[in-house]
Amino acid sequence: MSAELISSARMGDRWGKRLLIGIPYAWLLVLFLAPFALVAAISLSTVRLGMPPFEPLTAWDGSILNLRLNFENFLYVLTDDTYLLAYLTSLKVAAISTAVMLLIAYPLAYGIASCAPSSRSLLVFLVIVPFWSSMLIRVYSWMSILRNDGLLNALLLKLGLISEPLRILNTETAIYIGIVYTYLPFMVLPIYSNLVSADRTLIEAARDLGCSRISAFWRVTFPLSWPGVAAGCALVFIPVVGEFVIPDLLGGADTQMIGRAIWLEFFNNRDWPMAAAVTIVLLALLVVPIVFFQSRPPRAGA
């Protein structure tokens, strides 16, 4: 009887684990894989006038089910200079923004982690408090700050630092300002989480062994915080590549980023197959390198 109870308990434990793992997998299936499959199917179809604005992939002629796949969309995306420039611009903006945010976020996270425990909660709260308002409202606020007659130019003119208003809005500089401001908390929080949980005795041991403060930071603190740095860079870089709202509002109509190109294909040109193909290529640019590096075996001694 006891053996049957043990076997039943083990079986219940196995089913409990499967259920626990199955919930996030079901979530990914419904909210990611299914929409991705739909977008992939649209990318292989042909545009048409009507609703939906693309031809079905299959056609039944009464006896045979015909499968009609159109790869011209991908060929056009990979050879057209406009899309290639949009991809390169998006990657460049994302890379520079991520680097700038890392330079700002790391000292900020390090300072918060070094404060007394009673002060950390307040400082973390101040980092995330911008999330309490809509991102659209915050971007519109930056429009009023950066325009020619905005608050920034008015302040600089009043201080006598400039003789005429600076043109910041509708430039790449405005895009960087908006992206860094919007996504900075996503860089700060993972780094702070790693720094605050780091073993301080390792730093003290490094100092006892003769390391200076700077040497102890680079040899001990930074390596311990590397998982947070990597997570923060991923949380920032990936969404910035496909960002649309900030470049469109702060960068103006001449902004050539891939998020705007996708939006134009969907809503202006109503070419859903082309927009879906652009999206699939963008996803491949982001996912394939991540999968490659995660699948590589760790180096000996690492």
Side-chain angles (χ1 to χ4, degrees):
M1 186 66 179
S2 58
E4 293 179 358
L5 289 175
I6 294 174
S7 177
S8 177
R10 288 178 178 175
M11 184 175 294
D13 186 47
R14 285 197 299 268
W15 278 106
K17 291 179 180 179
R18 291 174 182 174
L19 178 62
L20 186 63
I21 297 174
I23 292 175
Y25 273 105
W27 177 273
L28 289 174
L29 176 64
V30 174
L31 297 180
F32 175 75
L33 293 180
F36 173 75
L38 179 60
V39 173
I42 295 175
S43 69
L44 296 173
S45 61
T46 306
V47 66
R48 72 169 183 179
L49 294 176
M51 185 55 66
F54 55 88
E55 298 285 349
L57 293 181
T58 58
W60 178 256
D61 62 1
S63 58
I64 301 175
L65 183 64
N66 296 314
L67 182 63
R68 300 177 297 187
L69 301 180
N70 177 28
F71 293 95
E72 292 183 2
N73 297 323
F74 288 98
L75 181 62
Y76 186 80
V77 169
L78 296 175
T79 56
D80 184 72
D81 292 340
T82 302
Y83 290 112
L84 294 177
L85 179 61
Y87 282 120
L88 293 176
T89 302
S90 299
L91 292 173
K92 182 195 75 171
V93 170
I96 295 176
S97 301
T98 302
V100 172
M101 276 184 271
L102 181 60
L103 293 176
I104 298 173
Y106 200 101
L108 182 58
Y110 185 85
I112 296 175
S114 301
C115 289
S118 57
S119 304
R120 292 174 188 165
S121 298
L122 175 61
L123 295 174
V124 172
F125 169 77
L126 293 177
V127 170
I128 64 175
V129 74
F131 287 142
W132 289 23
S133 61
S134 169
M135 186 188 75
L136 196 59
I137 294 175
R138 285 180 276 144
V139 175
Y140 271 112
S141 300
W142 274 109
M143 292 177 66
S144 65
I145 293 173
L146 299 177
R147 64 189 183 188
N148 290 352
D149 58 345
L151 298 176
L152 179 60
N153 277 313
L155 178 62
L156 295 176
L157 288 170
K158 189 172 184 180
L159 294 175
L161 298 178
I162 57 175
S163 57
E164 59 182 16
L166 298 175
R167 184 178 178 272
I168 304 175
L169 190 64
N170 296 332
T171 65
E172 204 168 87
T173 301
I175 297 175
Y176 287 122
I177 292 173
I179 288 175
V180 170
Y181 167 76
T182 302
Y183 287 93
L184 186 62
F186 292 104
M187 182 72 78
V188 173
L189 296 178
I191 298 175
Y192 163 76
S193 178
N194 274 92
L195 288 173
V196 78
S197 61
D199 189 353
R200 298 285 177 177
T201 59
L202 297 176
I203 303 174
E204 296 174 3
R207 296 295 305 276
D208 292 339
L209 292 173
C211 286
S212 63
R213 278 185 173 272
I214 297 177
S215 180
F217 171 80
W218 287 112
R219 290 175 177 268
V220 179
T221 304
F222 188 78
L224 290 175
S225 63
W226 177 249
V229 172
C233 291
L235 287 173
V236 167
F237 182 85
I238 293 174
V240 169
V241 171
E243 179 62 50
F244 164 71
V245 175
I246 296 174
D248 188 60
L249 295 180
L250 298 183
D254 295 332
T255 303
Q256 289 186 324
M257 289 186 66
I258 202 64
R260 178 173 175 80
I262 294 173
W263 188 89
L264 289 174
E265 291 293 352
F266 263 119
F267 297 102
N268 280 20
N269 301 337
R270 291 192 59 80
D271 192 343
W272 286 25
M274 182 61 67
V278 176
T279 304
I280 295 297
V281 174
L282 175 61
L283 188 63
L285 285 175
L286 296 176
V287 172
V288 171
I290 295 175
V291 174
F292 172 74
F293 284 113
Q294 286 187 342
S295 62
R296 293 180 63 185
R299 293 177 298 175

